[in-house]
Amino acid sequence: MARTKLTDLYKSLKDTPLIYENVETLQVKLGGDEKTELKISNQTGASGDIDLSNVTLEFKGEKYEGLKFELEDILEDHGNEGKDALFVAESDDKKFEVEANVDANYDQSGIVEDVEWRSLETFPKDVKEAGKRPDYADVDGDGDEEESMEKAFKDKEKMDEAHCTEEEIAEGTCGYSTDGKPRRKPAGPNLMRERFQKLANIIK
């Protein structure tokens, strides 16, 4: 039986490189209740590792090529187990944000271990305030998924430090005043009653 040399086989393909395009298809919400089909391609480099420097996204009849996702913020540090990070990319008219799990030494290694494409959100590029990522994950457990992720993590940090709920902090009954700043004495009901009476000119 005659053997075919790999070089001969390659030439028989008219010197056309064998390219395998890894396309991932998911159903995502993109900030709404209805799921949308999302196609992701070009998210791996030649070595097979995740490379977010030239990603193509397709959804709702639109195709966005050459998206360069860059690290925007570290959402949570798990020590040696890695970090949860937020990556951002921009097209001519849109801003894209997605969560990813990165190596514990990402600053040196640049290794992205996994991308949570179901967390993808898109915003108009020219809207600054609307571009703040909503707290869909409800990281601070207050039930508010419309507040920004930035605010949610700050609230969670306060609660972790004081072992208080956000509601207790808002009420001023857990070592915080009603403006959210730490105080030596909690602003309990008696202090709040006194404050309202002063405002109403009932007492001096």
Side-chain angles (χ1 to χ4, degrees):
M1 181 176 180
R3 291 186 177 181
T4 302
K5 294 182 179 180
L6 289 177
T7 52
D8 294 336
L9 178 61
Y10 184 79
K11 289 179 180 179
S12 70
L13 295 173
K14 298 180 180 180
D15 293 337
T16 302
L18 295 174
I19 299 176
Y20 174 71
E21 185 178 12
N22 183 15
V23 179
E24 183 177 357
T25 303
L26 298 170
Q27 293 291 325
V28 298
K29 286 190 175 182
L30 288 177
D33 293 328
E34 295 184 6
K35 290 186 177 181
T36 301
E37 183 178 83
L38 170 68
K39 290 184 178 179
I40 311 107
S41 53
N42 299 329
Q43 60 174 317
T44 55
S47 62
D49 296 326
I50 294 176
D51 181 359
L52 299 179
S53 64
N54 187 34
V55 177
T56 297
L57 299 178
E58 297 178 67
F59 58 91
K60 296 182 179 180
E62 299 288 340
K63 187 173 184 178
Y64 300 90
E65 298 179 285
L67 296 175
K68 184 176 182 179
F69 282 87
E70 297 181 315
L71 178 66
E72 175 77 6
D73 193 17
I74 296 297
L75 302 177
E76 194 163 355
D77 191 335
H78 301 288
N80 293 331
E81 296 180 3
K83 302 174 182 178
D84 298 334
L86 180 67
F87 282 78
V88 175
E90 293 184 355
S91 66
D92 292 337
D93 61 342
K94 277 186 170 45
K95 181 178 180 181
F96 303 85
E97 295 185 353
V98 69
E99 294 178 20
N101 307 119
V102 301
D103 183 63
N105 298 313
Y106 178 79
D107 291 342
Q108 288 75 36
S109 68
I111 295 174
V112 177
E113 297 175 347
D114 186 36
V115 181
E116 301 289 345
W117 287 111
R118 285 188 174 84
S119 70
L120 179 71
E121 291 296 336
T122 65
F123 309 95
K125 188 176 178 181
D126 58 345
V127 180
K128 294 182 180 179
E129 189 63 27
K132 290 187 176 181
R133 182 170 180 75
D135 180 27
Y136 291 125
D138 194 17
V139 297
D140 54 354
D142 64 353
D144 185 359
E145 298 181 357
E146 299 300 323
E147 65 181 342
S148 70
M149 185 74 79
E150 179 182 358
K151 180 180 182 300
F153 271 99
K154 286 181 179 178
D155 290 342
K156 184 177 185 300
E157 186 177 349
K158 286 181 182 178
M159 287 183 274
D160 289 343
E161 289 178 356
H163 304 289
C164 303
T165 66
E166 186 175 357
E167 183 179 358
E168 289 172 330
I169 292 174
E171 291 175 349
T173 58
C174 191
Y176 286 80
S177 67
T178 53
D179 61 5
K181 294 181 180 178
R183 293 290 185 267
R184 290 184 178 179
K185 184 177 181 181
N190 60 323
L191 294 180
M192 296 183 73
R193 189 181 306 112
E194 182 180 323
R195 180 185 175 200
F196 290 134
Q197 288 176 340
K198 286 183 178 179
L199 290 174
N201 292 321
I202 296 175
I203 61 174
K204 299 294 183 180

